Amino acid sequence: MGKRKKSSRKPAPTRKKVPLDTTFTCLFCHHDNSVTVKLDRKDGVAQLVCKVCGQSFQSKVNHLTEPIDIYSEWIDAADYAAKEEERRSQRRPTASSSRARPVGPPSVGSDEE
């Protein structure tokens, strides 16, 4: 058999939603609360701008996107760009041919003119 329902049961306390940050620290100039994120859900675009150094970033937005998501995407994009730049700088320059060209004037029997 089931239990009887208590008539004086108190409702569960509601949890307060903690608001998420909308201003962040800049990755490039390291100023606190200098980066702001503006979400334009109608156009589906988010704009991130640093007030101090002018660094900016744009990303696509959906109905679930929050400013912290755009800031995280910016961090990921900056890390990826830094790694790609490092990879490019570590590559050896390729030579145009495997043999060295003669420095002096061409010899009589060569096909160079």
Side-chain angles (χ1 to χ4, degrees), residues 1 3 11 30 46 58 75 78 88-89 104 106:
M1 298 274 177
K3 290 184 179 179
H30 303 289
Q58 282 188 340
I75 292 172
R88 285 190 193 126
S89 66

Side-chain angles (χ1 to χ4, degrees), residues 60-76:
K60 292 183 180 179
V61 178
N62 61 31
H63 66 283
L64 298 174
T65 305
E66 294 294 326
I68 188 70
D69 300 324
I70 303 303
Y71 183 69
S72 299
E73 285 181 28
W74 181 47
I75 292 172
D76 295 341

Side-chain angles (χ1 to χ4, degrees), residues 29-73:
C29 67
H30 303 289
H31 280 86
D32 291 335
N33 299 325
S34 64
V35 174
T36 57
V37 178
K38 294 179 184 177
L39 300 173
D40 188 1
R41 296 188 195 279
K42 185 178 178 183
D43 293 336
V45 176
Q47 180 79 20
L48 179 139
V49 178
C50 177
K51 297 175 189 174
V52 178
C53 67
Q55 196 64 239
S56 65
F57 177 75
Q58 282 188 340
S59 181
K60 292 183 180 179
V61 178
N62 61 31
H63 66 283
L64 298 174
T65 305
E66 294 294 326
I68 188 70
D69 300 324
I70 303 303
Y71 183 69
S72 299
E73 285 181 28

